[in-house]
């Protein structure tokens, strides 16, 4: 079969197709590092090409298979929270299908993020949609998790086309089930490295991209752990990542402290992110594959954007009508793989940040005051403005988030309650102790410590202090309000209704369920926000 590869990236489509005996006549990609990587591994002489500007008459003829992965940025929910320019993204989908319509191949297949399935489905039924004119191309739309097809990574993608999907699915029982632990163990072996998927073998010294990042420092560890296990909106993730399951999705962009980072290790040896080689292997690329980029982040981007060749290999066999019984296993097909003569340049891994912008932003939920579904108390610095270190409380559904302003007015109103006045008097020493710790710093000094320009009290320490204080308030209220729980609910609901019109308060059920800890947070947050500490501007040595 003869194929062309549109939006080719670093060659995930081309590698899988070629290993299955398909001739890839031409590939088209615009990003220079990806072009260099494609050429270096496939022996080609591609030049950067904008697929949108391709002239249809310049395309090769007699093509049996058109494949490709149009850019997913505008469709991805990780891009501006799903607020990408869908019309811009549509241009590449239209262009891909224009090529298919022009070449009339026997088979075609497109890969993209799951959200594209909705776009394609709407396009096939809406006469006014730009994709409607391609409704006769025999499009079938599937959401496929590559971990079910031999890739050691849970990666859900939209696969659309007219390939024999039933045949692809028939391959599943014959495919290996590899885990994150399998990949990490194989890549970090001593002596010869045996590819955990493709079976090819190289001496450890010949396997590039095995340089590991340094362990996460205490601050990075805290940020990483909290983003995964205490995120106010999204579901919890395991920390560290589970080794005996397929990995989570390998992403194109992530930092040492981002929620998307895959982190492995333990408290004794330290926690680290994955090397480029480990990421590439999770993406189904063999240990022979080279990544010709100028930096670690650039390599991470090209790997994270790729389609696993383990899956494209299966597509190629299905297009040729090969049965599950006759499918050549990955480990057998991989015996022909060898490393290109030119090794990829060595690019040092990302290191921990030493200093940060003076206005580095901070935002963290207070321990013990996390209620999921977006309801939380958080300490934030107003995007680096040192006078803006405040505790804020948010509640309500994501489409209608509300805030209770934690200020002197709220504190005065709450102090009218005999129950609360008595509690504040009983815990006066506890509040004074926290105030005393804060006096060792100032808003400006706290910001300086957060930007690593000086040592001293840090914002996570402040968040912990306030969370612990709220916990003690909660315990006191719990014992004092046994017979007055309705009053506690009333204080919370009255605060939530402040400034609202009508009787409906979003998230009222959750507010009443967690009334005691919420009241504790309201008291501590309003107390903190009105402290004279906020007016301190101590000189920082």
């Amino acid at each position: 079969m003869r194929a062309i590869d549109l939006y080719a990236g670093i060659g995930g489509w081309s590698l899988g197709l070629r290993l299955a005996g398909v001739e890839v006549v031409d590939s088209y990609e615009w990003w220079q590092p990806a072009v260099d990587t494609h050429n270096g591994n496939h022996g080609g002489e591609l030049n950067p090409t904008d697929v949108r500007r391709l002239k249809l008459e310049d395309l090769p003829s007699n093509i049996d298979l058109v494949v490709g992965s149009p850019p997913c940025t505008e469709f991805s929910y990780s891009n501006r929270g799903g607020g990408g320019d869908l019309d811009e993204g549509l241009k590449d989908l239209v262009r891909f299908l224009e090529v298919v319509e022009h070449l009339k191949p026997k088979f075609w297949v497109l890969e993209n993020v799951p959200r594209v399935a909705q776009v394609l489905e709407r396009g096939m039924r809406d006469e006014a949609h730009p994709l409607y004119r391609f409704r006769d191309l025999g499009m079938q739309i599937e959401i496929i998790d590559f971990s079910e097809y031999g890739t050691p990574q849970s990666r859900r993608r939209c696969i659309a086309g007219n390939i024999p999907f039933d045949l692809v699915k028939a391959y599943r029982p014959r495919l290996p089930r590899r885990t994150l632990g399998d990949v990490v163990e194989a890549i970090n072996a001593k002596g010869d490295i045996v590819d955990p998927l493709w079976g090819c073998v190289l001496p450890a010294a010949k396997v590039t991209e095995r340089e590991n990042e340094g362990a996460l420092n205490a601050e990075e560890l805290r940020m990483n752990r909290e983003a995964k296990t205490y995120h106010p909106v999204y579901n919890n993730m395991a920390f560290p990542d589970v080794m005996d399951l397929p990995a989570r999705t390998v992403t194109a962009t992530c930092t040492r402290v981002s929620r998307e980072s895959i982190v492995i290790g333990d408290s004794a040896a330290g926690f680290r992110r994955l090397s480029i080689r480990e990421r590439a292997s999770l993406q189904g690329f063999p240990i022979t594959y080279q990544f010709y980029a100028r930096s670690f982040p650039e390599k991470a981007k090209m790997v994270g954007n790729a389609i696993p060749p383990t899956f494209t290999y299966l597509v190629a066999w299905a297009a040729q009508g090969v049965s599950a019984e006759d499918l050549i296993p990955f480990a057998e097909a991989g015996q022909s793989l060898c490393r290109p003569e030119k090794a990829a340049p060595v690019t040092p891994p990302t290191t921990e940040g030493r200093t940060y912008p003076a206005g580095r932003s901070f935002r963290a939920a207070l321990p013990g005051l996390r209620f999921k579904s977006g309801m939380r108390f958080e300490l934030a610095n107003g995007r680096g403005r040192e006078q803006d270190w405040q505790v804020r409380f948010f509640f309500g559904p994501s489409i209608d988030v509300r805030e209770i302003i934690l200020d002197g007015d709220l504190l005065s109103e709450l102090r009218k309650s005999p129950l609360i006045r008595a509690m504040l008097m009983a815990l006066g020493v506890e509040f004074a102790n926290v105030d005393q710790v804060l006096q060792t710093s100032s808003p400006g000094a706290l910001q300086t410590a957060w930007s690593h320009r000086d040592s001293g009290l840090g914002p996570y320490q402040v968040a912990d202090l306030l969370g612990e204080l709220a916990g003690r308030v909660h315990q006191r209220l719990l014992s004092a309000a046994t017979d007055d729980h309705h009053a506690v609910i009333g204080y919370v609901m009255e605060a939530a209704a402040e400034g609202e019109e009508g009787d409906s308060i979003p998230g009222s059920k959750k507010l009443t369920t967690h009334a005691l800890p919420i009241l504790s947070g309201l008291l501590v947050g309003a107390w903190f926000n009105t402290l004279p500490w906020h007016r301190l501007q101590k000189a920082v040595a």
Side-chain angles (χ1 to χ4, degrees):
M1 297 185 75
R2 287 164 51 85
I4 64 167
D5 182 2
L6 304 173
Y7 306 99
I10 60 175
W13 277 109
S14 292
L15 179 60
L17 267 58
R18 285 175 168 147
L19 286 172
V22 173
E23 179 188 1
V24 181
V25 177
D26 217 338
S27 298
Y28 306 91
E29 169 59 38
W30 69 272
W31 188 36
Q32 186 66 63
V35 172
D36 294 339
T37 296
H38 198 292
N39 286 337
N41 287 280
H42 295 278
E45 296 181 358
L46 305 181
N47 292 310
T49 302
D50 184 349
V51 175
R52 291 186 186 181
R53 297 178 180 274
L54 271 177
K55 294 181 180 180
L56 296 178
E57 58 269 23
D58 291 339
L59 291 167
S61 57
N62 300 319
I63 296 301
D64 305 296
L65 176 63
V66 174
V67 300
S69 301
C72 65
T73 305
E74 304 302 340
F75 299 109
S76 175
Y77 282 110
S78 64
N79 177 33
R80 301 191 293 277
D85 188 339
L86 299 186
D87 289 337
E88 186 65 22
L90 264 174
K91 293 177 182 178
D92 290 299
L93 298 182
V94 168
R95 189 54 173 165
F96 182 94
L97 295 175
E98 283 177 341
V99 172
V100 172
E101 186 178 57
H102 174 75
L103 292 178
K104 296 179 173 55
K106 181 178 181 181
F107 294 115
W108 64 274
V109 58
L110 173 154
E111 177 256 357
N112 217 290
V113 293
R115 188 183 187 186
V116 169
Q118 303 168 22
V119 176
L120 294 172
E121 287 165 357
R122 180 185 172 189
M124 294 302 101
R125 64 175 183 265
D126 183 354
E127 294 183 12
H129 199 280
L131 299 178
Y132 186 72
R133 65 187 174 101
F134 303 111
R135 64 192 180 282
D136 295 327
L137 293 180
M139 183 186 301
Q140 183 176 341
I141 303 167
E142 299 272 354
I143 300 296
I144 283 179
D145 186 338
F146 292 152
S147 68
E148 298 177 1
Y149 293 86
T151 307
Q153 172 195 179
S154 294
R155 189 180 188 90
R156 296 177 70 251
R157 285 297 184 267
C158 167
I159 305 295
N162 67 342
I163 58 169
F165 280 96
D166 289 345
L167 192 49
V168 175
K169 293 175 182 178
Y171 296 152
R172 281 186 295 187
R174 303 179 64 85
L175 300 172
R177 298 285 290 180
R178 299 287 185 260
T179 67
L180 170 60
D182 293 334
V183 167
V184 171
E185 182 180 4
I187 299 304
N188 293 280
K190 307 297 182 183
D192 288 344
I193 306 293
V194 180
D195 192 288
L197 295 169
W198 297 101
C200 49
V201 181
L202 284 177
K206 293 289 186 179
V207 180
T208 58
E209 317 297 355
R210 293 205 307 152
E211 298 85 4
N212 289 331
E213 282 188 342
L216 300 175
N217 63 31
E219 180 183 286
E220 292 169 333
L221 185 59
R222 172 75 179 260
M223 295 174 73
N224 218 307
R225 188 192 300 273
E226 296 219 352
K228 292 177 172 60
T229 59
Y230 295 118
H231 198 280
V233 178
Y234 302 120
N235 292 332
N236 289 352
M237 295 178 176
F239 186 91
D241 283 80
V242 180
M243 300 295 279
D244 58 0
L245 294 173
R248 290 186 293 106
T249 302
V250 175
T251 58
T253 55
C254 58
T255 68
R256 286 171 62 90
V257 296
S258 68
R259 177 177 163 86
E260 293 76 19
S261 295
I262 297 173
V263 176
I264 61 173
D266 55 52
S267 54
F271 298 89
R272 68 170 177 87
R273 295 196 304 162
L274 300 178
S275 67
I276 295 296
R277 182 56 61 189
E278 288 165 336
R279 299 174 196 219
S281 190
L282 290 174
Q283 278 281 60
F285 284 89
I287 58 175
T288 56
Y289 218 78
Q290 301 298 292
F291 304 99
Y292 301 100
R294 297 163 295 183
S295 67
F296 186 96
E298 204 169 60
K299 289 178 179 178
K301 178 181 177 180
M302 61 171 57
V303 170
N305 277 334
I307 182 170
T310 39
F311 183 74
T312 64
Y313 175 79
L314 303 176
V315 168
W317 281 125
Q320 296 173 88
V322 172
S323 67
E325 292 73 20
D326 293 330
L327 179 69
I328 298 175
F330 295 148
E332 185 177 335
Q335 297 305 310
S336 63
L337 291 166
C338 58
R339 203 189 82 169
E341 186 174 331
K342 178 185 176 183
V346 176
T347 48
T350 304
T351 58
E352 63 181 86
R354 300 298 182 183
T355 60
Y356 294 88
R360 185 187 185 194
S361 63
F362 178 86
R363 178 182 173 188
L366 300 186
L369 295 172
R370 309 172 174 109
F371 306 100
K372 298 299 293 180
S373 301
M375 192 166 83
R376 77 273 187 196
F377 286 86
E378 67 177 31
L379 175 67
N381 64 349
R383 298 187 178 182
R385 295 190 296 272
E386 61 186 32
Q387 71 274 21
D388 259 359
W389 288 98
Q390 297 282 316
V391 173
R392 304 176 71 185
F393 176 62
F394 300 97
F395 68 97
S398 59
I399 59 173
D400 189 18
V401 176
R402 307 291 181 91
E403 180 179 359
I404 296 178
I405 303 301
L406 311 183
D407 57 9
D409 290 341
L410 175 64
L411 193 58
S412 297
E413 194 63 33
L414 291 175
R415 279 176 169 162
K416 293 178 182 178
S417 160
L419 170 70
I420 292 175
R421 283 202 308 273
M423 183 278 303
L424 290 174
M425 289 181 62
L427 292 178
V429 173
E430 304 284 357
F431 280 87
N433 288 340
V434 174
D435 190 12
Q436 187 174 9
V437 174
L438 290 171
Q439 297 303 319
T440 65
S441 180
S442 71
L446 192 64
Q447 183 66 39
T448 303
W450 179 235
S451 61
H452 290 202
R453 282 165 166 72
D454 202 354
S455 58
L457 187 71
Y460 274 118
Q461 292 172 279
V462 173
D464 289 345
L465 281 170
L466 297 177
E468 292 166 5
L469 180 59
R472 287 191 282 273
V473 171
H474 181 205
Q475 289 302 314
R476 189 78 186 188
L477 286 174
L478 195 60
S479 58
T482 303
D483 299 323
D484 208 4
H485 189 65
H486 289 295
V488 171
I489 293 174
Y491 301 144
V492 171
M493 297 307 291
E494 184 177 349
E498 182 70 26
E500 299 290 340
E501 296 181 2
D503 299 327
S504 178
I505 299 175
S508 57
K509 182 178 180 180
K510 197 167 185 180
L511 288 171
T512 57
T513 300
H514 300 284
L516 270 175
I518 289 173
L519 180 58
S520 305
L522 295 179
L523 286 165
V524 170
W527 170 81
F528 172 78
N529 290 347
T530 55
L531 281 177
W533 176 84
H534 290 279
R535 295 186 290 276
L536 293 176
Q537 294 299 327
K538 294 179 181 178
V540 179

